[in-house]
Amino acid sequence: MSRRLWNDRVSPCREKGRDTMGFTGSFAPVTTLFATQSYLDRSSIRLFTQTHPEVRAVAVVSTGREVLQLLQNGLNPQVIVLDMLLRDPGIQTLICEIRAMQLMPKPRLLLTAPTPEQTSAEDALLTFRGQEVILRPYEMRTLFERVYLLGAGDEAAQLYRVRNHCRRILRDMQANPVLSGCDYLERMILFAWSDERNLPIGILYQMAAKDQPVDERAITAAVGRLSRAMQKQQTPLYRQLCARFGLSEDAVLSNGKLLKGMLEYIRELETY
């Protein structure tokens, strides 16, 4: 067995600069048309799409007129993100013209707006009550999450949320993101979540190893190293997971308990 299988280096996908953990590569991308006046926003969107393949930017433009031209020429994205400050034409005219096209399937619209404290933004929000809106300032990650959840089907959207819950939990426990155990644990959680059966951990190891340059023993060892590394950080969340199983706060969670504890926590997050 090569040394690559047993160390905690980044996965081959990450070496290529893709944020491709677990099921990311299998998520069908949501095709999206972005329109914003801000050059900085347009540059950030183009850059972010390179590392977040679950959202595919079919076009990034600066005016409403370009949006209409693209749609009239046959482009039909799943989601259209519109800056409420767009001109040529203004946002109200633009939305009316998009709806008049009767595109099939109908794209979902997401409006980006300044904070409501600004009078014009407050008026606009009242005008578009019931419309999907994201307020500035926002992180690009948050925008892309909203886009994906709008455009994806229910099942894919739920798996996407579960994946993001998993990543946030690992960050809260101060997991080192370069440890391969993060990738493998995420894959196991997604497989466990998407299967109606209560799969034993041995089967989850096998499923996580599928299409990966590793075997189950390597995954077992990598997840174990991850758990021990997180235990050393002594974060409140790791201690809480220990408490779920009646363990002392300074205990090290076994792979099975770490997986089960995270799944239970994610189910609680999804419930609320």
Side-chain angles (χ1 to χ4, degrees):
M1 183 177 295
S2 69
R3 186 176 301 173
R4 162 69 67 184
L5 304 189
W6 291 99
N7 66 16
D8 280 333
R9 293 293 182 185
V10 292
S11 67
C13 292
R14 286 190 179 185
E15 289 175 347
K16 296 176 183 177
R18 291 169 62 88
D19 185 357
T20 311
M21 293 174 61
F23 278 29
T24 308
S26 66
F27 287 142
V30 170
T31 57
T32 309
L33 167 58
F34 293 89
T36 175
Q37 287 193 133
S38 167
Y39 173 79
L40 178 59
D41 282 353
R42 294 196 302 274
S43 298
S44 297
I45 289 167
R46 292 188 182 101
L47 179 61
F48 213 73
T49 55
Q50 295 179 27
T51 55
H52 292 73
E54 60 267 27
V55 172
R56 181 162 66 90
V58 292
V60 183
V61 299
S62 60
T63 67
R65 187 170 303 280
E66 291 173 284
V67 171
L68 295 175
Q69 288 174 345
L70 288 168
L71 298 178
Q72 289 165 353
N73 289 335
L75 187 68
N76 190 10
Q78 292 166 274
V79 178
I80 303 176
V81 179
L82 300 174
D83 179 357
M84 290 183 71
L85 301 180
L86 282 173
R87 296 291 181 266
D88 187 30
I91 188 67
Q92 294 189 45
T93 301
L94 178 59
I95 290 177
C96 289
E97 294 199 28
I98 290 174
R99 288 173 174 165
M101 291 181 185
Q102 298 183 338
L103 300 169
M104 293 299 293
K106 184 179 179 181
R108 301 293 300 275
L109 300 183
L110 175 61
L111 309 184
T112 65
T115 53
E117 285 76 13
Q118 301 177 33
T119 304
S120 59
E122 186 174 3
D123 293 342
L125 288 175
L126 290 173
T127 301
F128 295 108
R129 182 176 295 171
Q131 180 64 60
E132 293 285 345
V133 176
I134 182 170
L135 298 177
R136 297 178 182 275
Y138 53 75
E139 293 184 353
M140 197 58 61
R141 178 183 289 108
T142 303
L143 173 64
F144 272 53
E145 285 182 1
R146 287 286 298 276
V147 167
Y148 188 85
L149 293 174
L150 269 179
D154 291 342
E155 184 176 354
Q158 185 182 58
L159 277 179
Y160 184 78
R161 288 196 308 271
V162 169
R163 187 203 69 173
N164 289 346
H165 287 320
C166 179
R167 293 182 177 184
R168 292 187 182 106
I169 290 170
L170 290 174
R171 285 200 298 270
D172 288 346
M173 293 192 293
Q174 297 183 19
N176 187 338
V178 304
L179 294 180
S180 58
C182 291
D183 293 7
Y184 302 140
L185 182 59
E186 181 183 290
R187 287 175 64 86
M188 292 167 68
I189 283 174
L190 288 171
F191 277 122
W193 185 277
S194 59
D195 199 300
E196 295 180 356
R197 298 165 295 174
N198 187 16
L199 296 174
I201 194 168
I203 298 298
L204 293 173
Y205 285 139
Q206 294 176 21
M207 297 173 79
K210 185 179 180 181
D211 301 324
Q212 301 290 307
V214 294
D215 62 18
E216 298 98 275
R217 291 174 300 166
I219 293 178
T220 303
V223 175
R225 285 192 293 271
L226 172 67
S227 186
R228 291 191 295 274
M230 291 191 298
Q231 185 273 338
K232 291 178 181 178
Q233 301 301 320
Q234 285 294 296
T235 60
L237 182 52
Y238 192 92
R239 294 199 298 268
Q240 288 171 23
L241 292 185
C242 288
R244 284 174 182 256
F245 299 101
L247 303 175
S248 64
E249 290 189 347
D250 59 351
V252 176
L253 289 166
S254 67
N255 290 3
K257 285 184 170 58
L258 176 62
L259 177 71
K260 183 178 179 181
M262 288 182 63
L263 277 169
E264 290 177 351
Y265 188 38
I266 290 170
R267 289 191 181 98
E268 292 170 7
L269 294 173
E270 278 292 288
T271 298
Y272 295 104

